[in-house]
């Protein structure tokens, strides 16, 4: 099969812009998502069931429905309700952050709960406060266990951001579709997009391996 | 144990057959297919009224047109809803599907990859805006936010006017989402094929929309049947397409779908 590298070269500048958009949106979303996720994760560990259920509902909603639909709801429902019009950048941040928060919450909760309760009891019996026990004994151990799961979540997020092409966010798949439309060729745009995602996620996983060894 | 396994197997087989049947493959035998030749055609049935799914049946102008052509040529055919991308790749390869019929506009860039039949449909792009908009022509769209379905000629035309890398040109997966963007206030205009725009305005009278025709900047374009490069089907089917357009069958189908007479003379001289 013929493969037109000249078309890819022609589109390379916009693909690079799309890559920057993807990277930017992914970084912002993972940051907002993990802050929200931390809160939601603690919420889900609340001592009384009545406090737990909203967090429980949140996690189940965002994990139990396709991101595809979530993006549509945020873009055509949530954002216009606040702004009066759609805003693709806000859609990108909010849809990905809310989705990522649900997964991060479970990563935090699993990480913290994986630490043997004896550790906490020992810390308390040494005279530490609950907060100190969490801060100095539990979290340092838990974070070490969370790093691989977090890395996984970040990689999934980068790939899932491709769904934003649905609402015309100018990311990698958007430009890939643009290129497809001009030439009616499939492999040049899609394989280029795949390669860019691969390079992104592969470098990310290398970086995370490094962090894992350092922590 | 044994019975349970058998049950599971038959259930699986039943599911499989249901899926196959659900693919939306309309089998239609040609009139006098003495030679026993047959062609498999792919389409993206999401472009009402040109081709669309009515539950599990493919309908539309293109579908009726290709039926007439195949009857004229005496060729057996099947038409399958494969979606746009699959249609493009499989027609390019030409092994599973030997043709694509899906309102595909003929452009020089696309001719580098595919062969086309003679033109069988004249279309133009149209601008759709909300009532009271200050947009009067295609050139007014230059600094506006415009929604189109990506990979269409509307996309190509607007890319030329606004710049291919202009992110104010929003490309959506389908016209339906592009129209939603206009309604949600995220775009000033939608550009799409005239048939699509008219159909949408007709079906949504409450949304206060108007269509703007700009013959100067959006010239006529023509749909063709898509073939792989070097396909022998072009030579076989082009005469049948010509006959169907000339003998009045085409006008009959056209009137049925669009309620008006086609300009067949322009169509025949278009190539």
């Amino acid at each position: 099969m013929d493969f037109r590298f000249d078309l890819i070269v022609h589109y390379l500048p916009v693909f690079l812009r799309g890559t920057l958009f993807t990277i930017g949106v992914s970084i912002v979303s993972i940051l907002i998502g993990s802050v929200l996720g931390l809160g939601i994760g603690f919420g889900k560990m609340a001592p009384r069931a009545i406090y737990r259920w909203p967090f429980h509902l949140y996690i189940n909603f965002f994990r139990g429905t396709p991101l595809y639909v979530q993006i549509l709801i945020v873009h055509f429902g949530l954002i216009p309700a606040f702004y009066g019009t759609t805003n693709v950048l806000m859609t990108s941040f909010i849809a990905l952050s809310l989705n990522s928060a649900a997964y991060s919450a479970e990563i935090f909760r699993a990480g913290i709960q994986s630490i043997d309760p004896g550790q906490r009891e020992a810390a308390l019996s040494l005279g530490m406060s609950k907060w100190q026990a969490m801060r100095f004994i539990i979290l340092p151990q838990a974070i070490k266990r969370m790093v691989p799961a977090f890395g996984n979540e970040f990689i999934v997020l980068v790939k899932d951001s491709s769904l934003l092409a649905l609402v015309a966010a100018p990311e990698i798949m958007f430009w890939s579709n643009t290129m497809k439309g001009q030439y009616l060729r499939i492999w040049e745009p899609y394989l280029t997009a795949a390669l860019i995602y691969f390079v992104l996620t592969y470098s990310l996983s290398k970086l995370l391996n490094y962090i894992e060894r350092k922590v | 144990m044994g019975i349970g396994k058998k049950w599971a197997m038959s259930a699986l087989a039943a599911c499989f057959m249901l899926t196959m049947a659900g693919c939306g493959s309309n089998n239609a035998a040609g009139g006098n297919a003495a030679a026993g030749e047959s062609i498999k055609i792919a389409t993206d049935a999401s472009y009402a009224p040109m081709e669309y799914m009515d539950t599990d049946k493919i309908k539309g102008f293109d579908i009726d047109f290709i039926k007439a052509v195949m009857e004229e040529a005496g060729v057996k055919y099947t038409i399958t809803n494969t979606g746009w991308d699959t249609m493009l790749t499989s027609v390019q390869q030409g092994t599973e599907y030997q043709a694509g019929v899906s309102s595909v506009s003929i452009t020089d860039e696309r001719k580098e990859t595919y062969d086309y039949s003679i033109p069988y449909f004249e279309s133009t792009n149209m601008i759709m805006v909300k009532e009271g908009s200050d947009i009067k022509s295609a050139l007014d769209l230059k600094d506006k936010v415009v929604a189109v379905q990506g990979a269409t000629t509307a996309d190509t035309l607007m890319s030329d006017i606004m710049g291919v890398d202009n992110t104010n040109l929003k490309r959506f997966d389908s016209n339906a989402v592009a129209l939603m963007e206009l309604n949600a206030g995220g775009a000033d205009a939608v550009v799409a094929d005239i048939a699509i725009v008219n159909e949408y305005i007709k079906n949504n009278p409450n949304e206060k929309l108007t269509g703007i025709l700009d013959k100067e900047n959006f010239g006529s374009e023509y749909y063709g049947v898509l073939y792989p490069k070097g396909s022998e089907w072009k030579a076989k089917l082009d005469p049948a397409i010509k006959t169907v357009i000339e003998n009045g069958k085409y006008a009959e189908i056209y009137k049925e779908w669009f309620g008006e007479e086609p300009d067949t003379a322009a169509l025949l001289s278009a190539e």
Side-chain angles (χ1 to χ4, degrees):
Chain A
M1 197 215 283
D2 64 326
F3 196 83
R4 299 270 307 271
F5 283 101
D6 55 318
L7 303 185
I8 298 175
V9 171
H10 180 59
Y11 260 83
L12 218 48
V14 285
F15 265 120
L16 288 179
R17 272 172 41 194
T19 308
L20 288 180
F21 186 93
T22 297
I23 294 174
V25 160
S26 302
I27 291 175
V28 171
S29 303
I30 198 87
L31 289 177
I32 302 176
S34 30
V35 172
L36 279 178
L38 186 65
I40 295 164
F42 273 115
K44 209 193 164 188
M45 288 184 287
R48 293 180 59 184
I50 188 105
Y51 300 133
R52 282 200 298 267
W53 80 264
F55 301 99
H56 191 72
L57 194 70
Y58 180 93
I59 291 171
N60 279 298
F61 176 78
F62 280 97
R63 291 204 314 177
T65 56
L67 181 57
Y68 193 97
V69 181
Q70 290 165 20
I71 289 172
L72 284 180
I73 295 174
V74 171
H75 189 74
F76 290 116
L78 195 65
I79 303 285
F82 286 103
Y83 278 85
T85 128
T86 61
N87 182 321
V88 78
L89 199 61
M90 292 304 284
T91 299
S92 305
F93 290 147
I94 291 176
L96 288 185
S97 302
L98 292 183
N99 184 273
S100 158
Y103 290 94
S104 306
E106 287 294 78
I107 294 171
F108 281 120
R109 189 186 58 82
I112 290 168
Q113 289 185 342
S114 75
I115 305 301
D116 192 283
Q119 299 274 332
R120 184 167 172 275
E121 283 160 24
L124 294 182
S125 69
L126 284 173
M128 284 187 179
S129 69
K130 278 181 186 173
W131 163 244
Q132 284 173 320
M134 182 57 82
R135 168 75 184 78
F136 296 107
I137 306 297
I138 300 175
L139 274 184
Q141 300 181 71
I143 283 170
K144 202 175 167 66
R145 294 185 186 177
M146 287 177 210
V147 171
F150 245 115
N152 200 23
E153 168 58 17
F154 201 176
I155 284 171
V156 168
L157 186 87
V158 170
K159 290 187 295 175
D160 280 356
S161 71
S162 62
L163 285 172
L164 292 169
L166 187 64
V167 292
E171 44 73 73
I172 298 168
M173 284 314 289
F174 176 85
W175 294 117
S176 168
N177 287 333
T178 304
M179 183 174 170
K180 178 184 78 184
Q182 191 173 1
Y183 301 102
L184 279 200
R185 297 177 71 96
I186 297 286
W187 295 114
E188 287 84 354
Y190 284 173
L191 289 179
T192 307
L195 182 70
I196 297 174
Y197 280 111
F198 178 77
V199 170
L200 284 183
T201 54
Y202 189 75
S203 358
L204 197 62
S205 73
K206 283 285 165 209
L207 180 74
L208 286 157
N209 277 344
Y210 175 79
I211 293 173
E212 212 174 311
R213 267 181 279 120
K214 286 279 169 186
V215 173
Chain B
M1 238 344 212
I3 291 180
K5 219 174 192 177
K6 256 184 197 163
W7 262 104
M9 286 303 283
S10 359
L12 209 67
C15 285
F16 184 68
M17 275 157 73
L18 275 176
T19 322
M20 296 292 284
C23 281
S25 161
N26 277 5
N27 296 319
N32 50 344
E37 268 191 310
S38 72
I39 181 170
K40 288 181 77 183
I41 303 170
T43 188
D44 173 24
S46 59
Y47 212 61
M50 301 306 288
E51 49 269 313
Y52 61 95
M53 300 298 290
D54 183 353
T55 60
D56 63 344
K57 289 198 172 51
I58 310 177
K59 289 186 176 169
F61 172 85
D62 280 354
I63 309 304
D64 287 353
F65 162 74
I66 207 70
K67 180 164 179 258
V69 170
M70 293 304 165
E71 274 169 6
E72 178 63 37
V75 173
K76 280 188 193 162
Y77 76 104
T78 57
I79 188 156
T80 308
N81 179 18
T82 62
W84 184 254
D85 287 355
T86 310
M87 181 188 78
L88 294 184
T89 38
S90 57
V91 172
Q92 196 189 341
Q93 291 162 355
T95 45
E96 191 179 2
Y97 296 100
Q98 293 87 45
V101 178
S102 201
S103 303
V104 188
S105 295
I106 303 171
T107 74
D108 288 340
E109 281 157 329
R110 294 167 175 185
K111 275 185 178 168
E112 289 174 21
T113 310
Y114 298 91
D115 279 352
Y116 277 101
S117 71
I118 54 168
Y120 73 84
F121 190 85
E122 182 184 359
S123 178
T124 184
N125 276 284
M126 199 174 184
I127 307 163
M128 183 164 72
V129 292
K130 297 205 165 177
E131 272 175 22
S133 159
D134 57 349
I135 294 166
K136 297 281 172 277
S137 81
L139 297 180
D140 293 341
L141 296 173
K142 209 173 166 61
D143 314 310
K144 303 281 184 184
V145 182
V146 179
V148 296
Q149 177 178 351
T152 60
T153 45
D155 179 0
T156 313
L157 286 168
M158 291 317 297
S159 293
D160 286 344
I161 292 175
M162 300 173 71
V164 73
D165 56 350
N166 188 338
T167 47
N168 276 340
L169 176 54
K170 296 183 173 178
R171 300 178 184 88
F172 293 91
D173 216 31
S174 73
N175 275 311
V177 191
L179 296 162
M180 276 176 77
E181 184 78 5
L182 176 70
N183 281 333
D188 301 310
V190 168
V191 178
D193 278 354
I194 182 166
I196 304 280
V197 172
N198 283 336
E199 178 92 352
Y200 187 83
I201 292 176
K202 193 179 79 192
N203 289 338
N204 298 278
N206 297 331
E207 281 166 17
K208 305 214 182 309
L209 298 161
T210 38
I212 301 166
L213 208 51
D214 182 349
K215 284 275 183 190
E216 210 168 298
N217 295 299
F218 293 164
S220 284
E221 55 188 58
Y222 296 92
Y223 298 163
V225 178
L226 206 59
Y227 301 114
K229 269 272 172 223
S231 167
E232 55 194 35
W233 282 104
K234 177 174 166 58
K236 283 179 188 161
L237 294 176
D238 272 358
I241 295 176
K242 198 153 180 269
T243 310
V244 166
I245 296 173
E246 280 168 349
N247 71 7
K249 183 79 186 147
Y250 179 87
E252 197 181 299
I253 299 169
Y254 196 98
K255 255 182 19 204
E256 200 178 301
W257 284 99
F258 305 108
E260 54 186 33
E261 286 283 344
D263 185 354
T264 50
L267 195 59
L268 287 167
S269 63
E271 207 176 3

